[in-house]
Structure formats: structure tokens, C-alpha cells
Amino acid sequence: MSVLVFIETTNGTIKKSGLEAMYFGNLIAAQKNTSCHAVLFGNADKANILGKYGAKSVFYIDYSKGFDTGIYTEGVLSAAATVGADIIIIAHTFNGKSFAGSVAARWNAGIVTSVNALPNFDNGITVTKSVFSGKAVATYRINTTKAVLTLAGNSIQIQESGSEVTPQKLDWTPSEPKVKVLERKTSEGLVPLPEAELVVSAGRGMKGPENWGIVEELAKALQATTACSRPVADTGWRPHHEHVGQTGVAIKPNLYIAIGISGAIQHLAGVNNSKTIVVINKDPEAPFFKAADYGVVGDLFEVVPKLTEAVKKFKSSQ
Amino acid sequence: MNILVCISKTPDTTSKISFKSENKEYNPDGISFIMNPYDEWYALVRAIELVEQNGGNVTTITVGDASNDMIIRKGLAIGANDAIRIDINPKEPFEAAFQIAEASKQKPYDLILLGKETIDYNGSILGSILAELLHLPFISFATKLELSGKTFTVTREIEGGEEICQVEGPCVISAAKGMAEQRIPNMKGIMTSKSKPLNVMAPVAYQNKVEVLTFTLPGEKKGVKMLSPDQMDELVALLHEEAKVI
């Protein structure tokens, strides 16, 4: 009876989504009056910190051949057996949601993905998630004693609540992966979109890729990640991984600034779980204003640089 | 090669959402349903392309009642050879995966394709459950899929980039945007779709692991606060003090 949290790492670095999952697992363990443990694959040099977010023990698996659903499923379940877990928490990242289902299937456990708040244990395990593109919230009950939950990003505010622990090697040897990872290409430096707390996004109103400088300036001033609408990605003005919306990435940052994006329902489907939405558009009838918290009607080529200046002024006064 | 493509129906994105039976069930009345775009535009079309290049057969599989026949016929019109429908409305993705796994054990497939997620629940776990139940390798979020011999080379999405990987078939692959271009059924496809086989199968007994207790609609937004282009300092102050996001 304990909680196990899978921690995703990139070259040994623990992602924010991993710390969120860790702290979420810690809160669940506290609710159930039990302990919380972590498991990760590969380099554990920076994993001591997991103790600060509630891990009683941290296990690492000596494996660095890249992501494979089968290997990750077996490894996590081996760790679950070691710590006697009955709940497994996995962050709802690309890789997390790619093997959470396999973990549940092999464990014969109920699974709910993209959970957005702490469970309730009064009558079975009840959890909530956002459904129908953010247009409703569903409450689920898991009827099995074991459960797998994936945690939606930016659903929980993490806090340090313990002290560092020394990772130990899990007594389990992975076999050869069936999926061979040949190459991995990621853009350096920036926070990946699904994890970003602040996002500056722009659309066709920008008129052309050569005008993106003002968007990047604003993003830089805020230390935000840049995103774009579908037409912009489709015409090749911006890379595809920046495309947010129904067919792109779905995000829920704390702040989403939409510049020159009209707010088609397919775009809103990917962003309307954002905590605060700012819309800048020259068309006062743009549908996005209906979903916004703050709106500015005006020429974006005038408004955006002014906003950037205001942000810089604010930052330097802090 | 034999390819199985999992297709399901979803409400159109523009649909108004409502619930019935004391908010325990989704209300389908007056809703226009479509084939889940990831299943249709990417998984199904790429399966048809692979069979056009290599020969073989594309079968679609759907878990649900007869109200799904409309999207199943559309799949046949786009170019699938035959279809299976398992006659039960699944209550959770695990149940749908379980029924598909049971049905697909009867005939070996070289590849099982499905969309990365449905646009209503966005769970994205059916593929990995199915792969595990069938003991097959699984690759998710594939934006590109090439076949050489029995080896599939796949480009898949990851946070802020992509990954290229290889796997030997048979396997399960979930499709994301980019894998293929949408196809509109032509008149010949629509005519022949009516005579293609649609096999309705009885479900296998399954004990639900998860159930929906209730749906709730989120509260109304408090309304947008408008500012003029000259009030950017005020906007930043509001983001800091009122919204507390910077």
C-alpha cells in the first residue's frame, strides 16, 4: 500500500511535469497515510531533489536506449512491486501517456488520464478531468483497488516538503527494447510548450514570418514560450511543434497571450484551459474576446511593442 | 499486408455539450457526429496508402452500437476493404481496447493503426492498452510512417521536437497530424461502400474498471476586461496583481 511516481528525465534533468507528479503523489500518500516513492530511467545524478517533493525512496533503472513502451511498463511495474504500490502516478506528457495504458493493462488496474485535481478516497477512488475540449469536467470512479493516474500539466503548485534522498538502483534488468530510437531532435533552451507557464502565441494577423521579431521580444521579456495558430504552422511560417489547438498541442499555461488570432473553436479547444487569457486583435468582433480575461483592440504592430516595454519596465522594478 | 484501423465517432468540435440522466450521461440528441479526425485523416488514409503500395487489405474496427454505421460506411467509402463493429457502447477506453484485442485475435494483422486520441475525451491510452493486451510493440504520436520489408520507420512527436524510431511488425501505431492527407470519398467509393462487408460481432464479457459518476459544466467566464492600446502598464499590473500570473 504505497504510491509510486514515474519520473521522466531528459539527459538526467527532471522535468517540471515530473516534479508536479512527485508532489501530487506525495499529497495522495499523505491522504492515504502511506509513503510515496519514485522511479526513473537512466542517469539519477540530479534525482536527490525528488526527496524534497516527498519521495521517501528513489529508484533508478540502468537503461538509456530511449523510450520503449514495453521496457518502461515492465520497469515501472517492477518498482511498483518493490515498494508495494497500489497507485501509480505518471505525468501526462507525450511519453507518459504513451505507456500509462500499458501499465494499467498489465497491472489489471483502472486508469484515468489527464487528471486535474487530487483524488477523493471516500468511496473508491474518484478523480476529475477536463473533457470535450474544456467544455465540461467529468468525475470518474475507479472500481479497482489498483489505479494508474496521469496528471495534467500545471494542475498543481509544487512545494518543497522534505529533504533530499540518495537514489538506489532498482534490482531489475531491462531486456532489449522492441522499439529502437534512432534519432532525437529537440529545440534547445526553451521550455517545451506543454510545460510552459507563460505562452505568447501569434496567428495570421502577423502577416508574415518576417514580423515575428516583436512576438519573440515579448516572449523574451516575459521569459515565455512561443506558440502559433494552425494556419501559421501549415504555411510554414513557424515550426509545427509550436502549433497549439485541437490538431496541435493542447496546453494549459497560467498565461496565454493570443496575438492576431481570431479564436476559431478548434484553436480554443487547445488553449481554453489556460488560467488567464489575453487577446490582442484589431477586430473587436474576433470570437477570441469571448474566451478572454483581458482584451486589447488595436493594431498588433503597435500594441505588442508597447506591451513588451511595459513588461520590461515592470520586471526592472521588481 | 493486413492492416486493422480503429475508428470511432466523436461529436463535431463545434457541438454544444449537454448531459442527461442527472448529468451521468452525454446527451447525443441533436449532435452531429463525425469520424474522429485522427482516425480518419491520418490512420485510415495512411493504411489505405500502404495497401495501395504493397497490396493487402484494410479492415476498420469500431466498438459501439449501430449509430456508428454512418462513420463506418464513410471509412469504407474512403477506401477500407471491410469493417468490423463490436456491438456495445464502451464505458471506458480499457473496455474498447479489450473488445478490439479480443476481436483481432481471430485474424493476425501486420499493423494496427489508430488516431493518437479522440477529440472528445483526449485520453490517448487506447493504443497502449491494446498493444499490451496483444503483446505487441507500440509507437505513439506518429507523424510519419514508412514501411520497408517488415520494418516500420516512424517519426513521432515529443515535447518540443521529434524522435525517429524503428520497429518490426506486427505492432500498434497511433497517428498524429502529418501522417497523411485527408481524403474525401468520391462517388464510386460511396457507391461501393454500400456493398462492402460490415461484420457485426457480439462483445465479450467485460467488468468495468472505471465509470463516470457525473459531468459538470464549468462556470461562465466572468467576462473580458477591455483595455486600450495605451493602457499596457495597466495590463501588466492586472496580470501581476489581479490574475497573479506574472
Side-chain angles (χ1 to χ4, degrees), chain B residues 37 101 122:
Chain B
N122 305 94

Side-chain angles (χ1 to χ4, degrees), chain B residues 56 61 139 149 183:
Chain B
I61 189 163
I139 299 181
R183 283 192 189 184

Side-chain angles (χ1 to χ4, degrees), chain A:
Chain A
M1 295 289 278
S2 70
V3 179
L4 177 69
V5 180
F6 163 74
I7 302 293
E8 192 172 350
T9 60
T10 312
N11 303 325
T13 302
I14 295 165
K15 298 177 170 196
K16 175 171 156 267
S17 56
L19 294 182
E20 288 175 348
M22 188 73 247
Y23 188 62
F24 185 74
N26 173 46
L27 294 179
I28 291 176
Q31 277 180 309
K32 289 173 63 78
N33 209 7
T34 179
S35 58
C36 183
H37 309 268
V39 62
L40 59 96
F41 286 76
N43 181 338
D45 293 351
K46 295 174 189 162
N48 294 33
I49 191 179
L50 291 168
K52 288 191 174 180
Y53 297 96
K56 193 177 165 202
S57 61
V58 175
F59 292 91
Y60 68 93
I61 292 167
D62 192 6
Y63 175 84
S64 54
K65 287 184 181 164
F67 179 74
D68 174 68
T69 299
I71 300 286
Y72 274 54
T73 299
E74 281 176 37
V76 166
L77 286 179
S78 169
T82 302
V83 301
D86 54 2
I87 293 183
I88 295 177
I89 309 296
I90 298 173
H92 195 67
T93 60
F94 281 95
N95 284 349
K97 53 191 170 182
S98 300
F99 84 106
S102 288
V103 171
R106 193 170 298 191
W107 219 26
N108 203 22
I111 176 166
V112 178
T113 55
S114 203
V115 168
N116 62 7
L118 277 172
N120 180 306
F121 293 97
D122 291 345
N123 179 12
I125 307 169
T126 54
V127 291
T128 56
K129 75 173 274 193
S130 167
V131 293
F132 299 109
S133 314
K135 285 185 270 189
V137 172
T139 303
Y140 292 87
R141 182 164 62 210
I142 299 172
N143 293 323
T144 49
T145 50
K146 293 176 191 162
V148 178
L149 305 177
T150 74
L151 175 66
N154 287 339
S155 294
I156 188 164
Q157 203 65 45
I158 57 171
Q159 282 171 30
E160 292 192 11
S161 65
S163 50
E164 295 196 354
V165 293
T166 307
Q168 46 190 308
K169 192 174 167 206
L170 185 71
D171 185 17
W172 176 78
T173 310
S175 50
E176 273 301 303
K178 286 180 180 163
V179 173
K180 291 183 177 53
V181 178
L182 307 180
E183 200 184 337
R184 206 182 147 89
K185 295 182 273 193
T186 51
S187 48
E188 294 297 315
L190 285 170
V191 183
L193 258 183
E195 292 185 20
E197 289 182 2
L198 307 174
V199 174
V200 175
S201 185
R204 266 186 299 197
M206 295 297 298
K207 298 196 170 112
E210 67 280 6
N211 296 329
W212 240 262
I214 56 168
V215 174
E216 281 163 352
E217 283 288 311
L218 175 58
K220 201 173 144 199
L222 282 165
Q223 291 181 298
T225 301
T226 51
C228 69
S229 65
R230 176 174 175 165
V232 163
D234 281 355
T235 50
W237 291 1
R238 299 297 292 176
H240 261 289
H241 64 78
E242 278 199 2
H243 163 202
V244 292
Q246 186 170 70
T247 49
V249 185
I251 55 172
K252 49 179 290 189
N254 289 338
L255 174 62
Y256 185 75
I257 302 182
I259 300 164
I261 301 174
S262 64
I265 203 149
Q266 288 81 358
H267 184 79
L268 295 182
V271 303
N272 62 6
N273 278 324
S274 305
K275 196 172 154 207
T276 299
I277 295 177
V278 175
V279 170
I280 300 169
N281 207 297
K282 67 176 184 208
D283 175 10
E285 301 299 319
F288 217 148
F289 284 117
K290 289 201 177 73
D293 298 282
Y294 304 101
V296 183
V297 177
D299 177 2
L300 64 90
F301 295 104
E302 176 202 342
V303 175
V304 175
K306 276 186 183 171
L307 178 55
T308 306
E309 283 314 307
V311 169
K312 282 183 183 165
K313 203 159 84 187
F314 166 75
K315 291 271 181 186
S316 61
S317 72
Q318 287 293 295

Side-chain angles (χ1 to χ4, degrees), chain B residues 228-240:
Chain B
S228 82
D230 296 322
Q231 290 178 298
M232 289 305 101
D233 289 327
E234 287 85 342
L235 175 57
V236 170
L238 285 167
L239 291 176
H240 178 61

